[in-house]
Amino acid sequence: MSSQTPAQTPELLWQPSQARIASTRLTGFMDHLKRQYGVEAPDYPALWDWSRASQQNVETFWSALWDYCGVVAETRGQRATQDFDKMPGAAFFPDAKLNFAENLLQQQGRGDAIVFWGEDQVTTRLSHDALYHRVSKVAQGLREQGVGPGDRVAAYLPNMPETMIVMLATASLGAIFSSCSPDFGPQGVLDRFGQIEPKVLFAVDAYHYNGKVRASAPNVAEVVKQLPSLQKTLLIHYAGDGDPSGIDGAERMADWEDRFPGGPIDFVQMPFNSPLYILFSSGTTGKPKCIVHGAGGTLLQHLKEHQLQTDVRPGDRPFYFTTCGWMMWNWLVSALASRATVLLYDGSPFYPDWRILFRMAEQEGMTQFGTSAKFIDALGNQGAMPGDEFDLSRVRTLMSTGSPLLAEGFDVVYNNIKQDICLSSIAGGTDIVGCFVAGNPIGPVYRGEIQARCLAMDVDIYDEQGNSVRDQKGELVCRKPFPSMPVKFWNDPDGERFFNAYFATYTDTWHHGDFAAIDSATGGVVIYGRSDATLNPGGVRIGTAEIYRQVEKLPEVAEGIVIGQDVGDDQRVVLFVRLNEGHQLTDDLVTRIKQQIKSGASPRHVPAKVLEVPDIPRTRSGKIVELAVRDVVHGNAVKNKEALANPEALAHFEGREELRN
């Protein structure tokens, strides 16, 4: 994501060469469209415009993608859509039958399928043949346990090869996979898995983080006691002693797996929209929503985003820094379907220092580097120069998401990391297990802007009256159906919660909840923050990222979090800042902060109060939580602190004397 008012054409930072454009999967797809369907699109804007212009074009696009990416299926059927005019209610390929895992396990041989780094402590490699063999054994074990279509299998695991193995084995049976990372406490896990009632749980004994071993087994034991649906618990020996004796009915996964011979996998062919994953919203305003995603929609969306938007090619080695509690894990592992090698990393991205991920990029031949805006900000703040220290010649694309990537973050990428690189800031989310806006490997990168709206996604910006607007902030919407719309919410039998989450604001239109703008000159997109966190002083809506962009330019400020505090019938802007070490919030610094915001944004953005805090609360995927801070300031309870990585930070915002007048 990025933040910059699209008032004038921003600086051009990168343009692909003609040779590079010709070599991309996207150019190959455009040639495929021309040969097979007679569709001529000379560039990305023309292709995007065609891909979402009508129901027939949408159907042609997804059918062409199916063929171009070589989707394996028992049948595709004659129909590409059903009830296309209904949102919700539309469905894609309603007669198709396929298996998600079969599509990810097509590649054979002794080449790397997975390369795993657990900080600097553990390195593991699995070939395509070895991965297939282990998936087969685990699938046989799950089938013996009675797991079949519709059953849930849960993973309380780090981002390690076993997590992928369990997911693929579960999907091969037509069952449903769901995961949490081991840094979740027992209540956070129960808030999630307790709603979906899994039959089998896979967990880890301990894991590495920031150079230390963190025990998991005690938390696993507590979770198991309170999940009556469990029929089997399997403990993976990773960083601890591997002893399952303290966990009711648990067995070591290695011992259990060894009982099964492996061999050819019997992939259960399932309807296109059969449930594959249950993902969870961040849940800071109550128990997380259980978002059910379908097998076919997830597969097609990821194939498109990997191959066309990110240029993942056979033999590539893509990477995204993520945990198993964030949808970017689900996004990353689908790269197997593009015959790529998946690079996994678990632990701190700063242990022993910021170099660890770039060392991995160099040594493992990384081709796509995925990270967060905050990681890029941190590199800039530390003056890190990875491009000078590491051979990043194979890295063609750098992706960023999780929070808005400020224009200054673009400078860090091109000045400190690499000049000849496609910087693909992306935005979408758990709700669609993919992206609404993302990269364009054959197009330019402009400073502070996301490159493009995703193909076959009819993304627009609406004002409060539902009018389409340009060069003006508004609500990010999608006006036509797409395959990775959720199948449903779990435990929402009449679909009311699902409808209210996305379709209640605008008729027959997906309302995503991002405050954004489209630049009419470049076609680029700017995200200003979440709609429910936008500020509204004097009735003027202000995106939070606009303020962060300005305040974080000051060398004294590490980061900020801004909220609107209700005062009488109006709202005032309150900015909290965490300062870099050795600095204090003096009157002079407050004055400079306000002046920077006034000159860089507008007088409307200037906070009424600027206060210091030692820490800022964030979710486990690294997103700061303005709504939780707003609740604390207004004396309201934060309903699910378990969703936060550092809930203790909320105490710094509670009962502040400075906010009582």
Side-chain angles (χ1 to χ4, degrees):
M1 300 181 182
S2 63
S3 173
Q4 172 182 315
T5 304
Q8 58 186 20
T9 303
E11 179 185 356
L12 175 65
L13 296 178
W14 180 81
Q15 180 82 43
S17 67
Q18 287 303 310
R20 177 161 177 163
I21 290 171
S23 70
T24 62
R25 294 287 289 160
L26 179 54
T27 296
F29 177 71
M30 293 162 76
D31 292 342
H32 172 72
L33 274 175
K34 184 176 180 179
R35 288 193 312 271
Q36 299 297 320
Y37 298 92
V39 176
E40 296 208 36
D43 54 25
Y44 188 97
L47 179 62
W48 177 83
D49 194 45
W50 168 84
S51 72
R52 50 43 109 193
S54 68
Q55 177 179 351
Q56 181 178 347
N57 290 8
V58 171
E59 292 180 348
T60 299
F61 175 89
W62 291 110
S63 298
L65 183 86
W66 181 303
D67 293 337
Y68 182 68
C69 296
V71 172
V72 177
E74 180 180 281
T75 180
R76 186 167 85 184
Q78 297 300 310
R79 296 180 297 169
T81 62
Q82 177 181 317
D83 297 326
F84 188 81
D85 58 339
K86 294 180 181 178
M87 286 182 75
F92 283 78
F93 300 102
D95 307 311
K97 282 197 168 183
L98 52 72
N99 186 277
F100 181 83
E102 185 175 15
N103 279 275
L104 271 65
L105 291 169
Q106 295 179 68
Q107 187 81 347
Q108 298 178 344
R110 290 185 288 182
D112 290 337
I114 301 172
V115 177
F116 167 63
W117 284 27
E119 292 193 343
D120 60 351
Q121 301 296 307
V122 180
T123 303
T124 302
R125 298 173 190 279
L126 273 182
S127 69
H128 292 283
D129 288 348
L131 173 62
Y132 187 100
H133 180 61
R134 290 199 62 188
V135 170
S136 176
K137 288 157 68 78
V138 172
Q140 289 169 358
L142 289 174
R143 182 178 272 116
E144 183 182 85
Q145 199 61 43
V147 173
D151 290 327
R152 280 78 65 204
V153 174
Y156 186 17
L157 294 174
N159 181 18
M160 62 192 305
E162 281 75 9
T163 317
M164 288 182 64
I165 290 165
V166 171
M167 179 277 288
L168 290 164
T170 302
S172 77
L173 300 171
I176 306 170
F177 176 84
S178 193
S179 60
C180 282
S181 58
D183 57 342
F184 277 81
Q187 191 56 51
V189 177
L190 291 166
D191 284 347
R192 289 158 173 77
F193 294 163
Q195 295 187 70
I196 67 171
E197 301 176 305
K199 264 189 179 180
V200 180
L201 175 70
F202 290 82
V204 75
D205 56 358
Y207 61 99
H208 299 282
Y209 193 84
N210 209 28
K212 297 178 180 178
V213 173
R214 315 287 174 111
S216 296
N219 287 349
V220 176
E222 192 172 336
V223 166
V224 169
K225 286 178 182 176
Q226 297 183 64
L227 274 182
S229 63
L230 286 181
Q231 298 178 9
K232 190 76 176 176
T233 300
L234 295 156
L235 190 71
I236 297 168
H237 180 200
Y238 176 38
D241 60 11
D243 182 7
S245 61
I247 303 168
D248 290 349
E251 183 178 355
R252 278 177 58 130
M253 179 180 172
D255 297 338
W256 172 81
E257 190 179 327
D258 281 348
R259 297 207 298 269
F260 304 99
I265 299 173
D266 181 14
F267 293 104
V268 178
Q269 301 299 303
M270 298 292 293
F272 185 88
N273 279 320
S274 61
L276 168 72
Y277 289 136
I278 297 177
L279 303 182
F280 304 98
S281 64
S282 57
T284 54
T285 55
K287 278 194 176 182
K289 298 190 294 285
C290 304
I291 305 171
V292 183
H293 283 293
T298 301
L299 177 66
L300 280 188
Q301 192 78 291
H302 290 178
L303 284 169
K304 178 196 72 175
E305 292 176 6
H306 288 162
Q307 296 192 27
L308 307 190
Q309 313 280 171
T310 317
D311 196 33
V312 174
R313 311 172 190 178
D316 271 1
R317 299 166 82 86
F319 165 81
Y320 217 104
F321 177 79
T322 182
T323 71
C324 296
W326 190 24
M327 57 77 51
M328 292 310 301
W329 180 87
N330 307 79
W331 188 91
L332 171 65
V333 300
S334 292
L336 285 176
S338 295
R339 299 180 182 270
T341 296
V342 175
L343 303 184
L344 304 178
Y345 178 90
D346 192 72
S348 169
F350 293 103
Y351 183 81
D353 55 35
W354 61 262
R355 294 171 177 82
I356 184 69
L357 297 184
F358 294 101
R359 187 172 297 117
M360 184 183 193
E362 178 182 82
Q363 293 183 16
E364 302 298 348
M366 191 182 293
T367 49
Q368 289 84 16
F369 187 121
T371 187
S372 67
K374 287 298 180 185
F375 180 78
I376 294 170
D377 290 345
L379 294 178
N381 290 337
Q382 294 183 34
M385 299 294 292
D388 291 345
E389 294 192 36
F390 297 95
D391 177 5
L392 304 178
S393 57
R394 291 200 63 191
V395 182
R396 301 195 308 273
T397 304
L398 192 145
M399 296 166 285
S400 169
T401 195
S403 62
L405 180 63
L406 307 180
E408 290 73 18
F410 282 65
D411 300 337
V412 172
V413 171
Y414 285 102
N415 294 335
N416 300 25
I417 299 177
K418 190 175 181 181
Q419 290 183 341
D420 184 17
I421 196 166
C422 184
L423 173 52
S424 297
S425 186
I426 64 177
T430 302
D431 313 80
I432 65 168
V433 73
C435 303
F436 281 119
V437 291
N440 167 18
I442 66 172
V445 174
Y446 290 98
R447 185 174 185 263
E449 289 190 350
I450 298 171
Q451 282 183 289
R453 289 172 280 179
C454 287
L455 297 169
M457 306 290 274
D458 193 12
V459 172
D460 205 349
I461 304 297
Y462 278 6
D463 64 16
E464 292 181 355
Q465 288 73 47
N467 301 310
S468 174
V469 295
R470 291 292 176 274
D471 303 318
Q472 179 181 325
K473 298 163 200 167
E475 297 291 336
L476 190 148
V477 301
C478 192
R479 298 180 297 192
K480 290 188 181 69
F482 50 93
S484 69
M485 290 185 297
V487 174
K488 61 182 178 179
F489 285 174
W490 199 257
N491 295 327
D492 181 30
D494 59 3
E496 182 180 4
R497 292 177 65 214
F498 179 55
F499 179 86
N500 289 336
Y502 309 115
F503 304 103
T505 305
Y506 302 109
T507 303
D508 296 327
T509 298
W510 178 289
H511 173 224
H512 192 56
D514 277 347
F515 195 46
I518 295 173
D519 185 336
S520 60
T522 66
V525 180
V526 181
I527 307 289
Y528 294 99
R530 292 293 294 171
S531 300
D532 54 11
T534 56
L535 311 169
N536 199 25
V540 178
R541 294 185 77 190
I542 295 170
T544 55
E546 299 173 79
I547 292 178
Y548 301 146
R549 180 187 175 211
Q550 299 304 325
V551 72
E552 291 174 14
K553 288 180 178 180
L554 296 167
E556 296 92 342
V557 179
E559 62 179 340
I561 188 168
V562 67
I563 65 161
Q565 183 189 14
D566 296 335
V567 180
D569 295 331
D570 201 356
Q571 187 183 87
R572 68 180 179 187
V573 177
V574 179
L575 171 66
F576 299 92
V577 292
R578 180 174 68 84
L579 301 180
N580 286 312
E581 192 173 345
H583 295 284
Q584 294 182 325
L585 189 64
T586 61
D587 290 344
D588 174 67
L589 181 54
V590 170
T591 300
R592 287 193 291 117
I593 288 172
K594 291 185 175 183
Q595 183 57 43
Q596 177 66 46
I597 294 170
K598 181 179 180 180
S599 61
S602 83
R604 294 275 192 181
H605 294 72
V606 176
K609 299 277 186 178
V610 180
L611 306 175
E612 184 179 358
V613 288
D615 196 12
I616 289 176
R618 60 189 72 246
T619 65
R620 295 176 187 276
S621 60
K623 299 177 183 178
I624 61 174
V625 285
E626 291 112 334
L627 293 184
V629 169
R630 191 177 190 279
D631 280 340
V632 168
V633 166
H634 287 93
N636 301 324
V638 178
K639 296 179 182 177
N640 186 11
K641 293 183 180 180
E642 283 285 341
L644 302 180
N646 56 338
E648 67 282 355
L650 289 172
H652 305 309
F653 303 84
E654 192 172 358
R656 296 289 295 247
E657 187 69 33
E658 305 96 323
L659 297 179
R660 292 179 180 170
N661 54 63

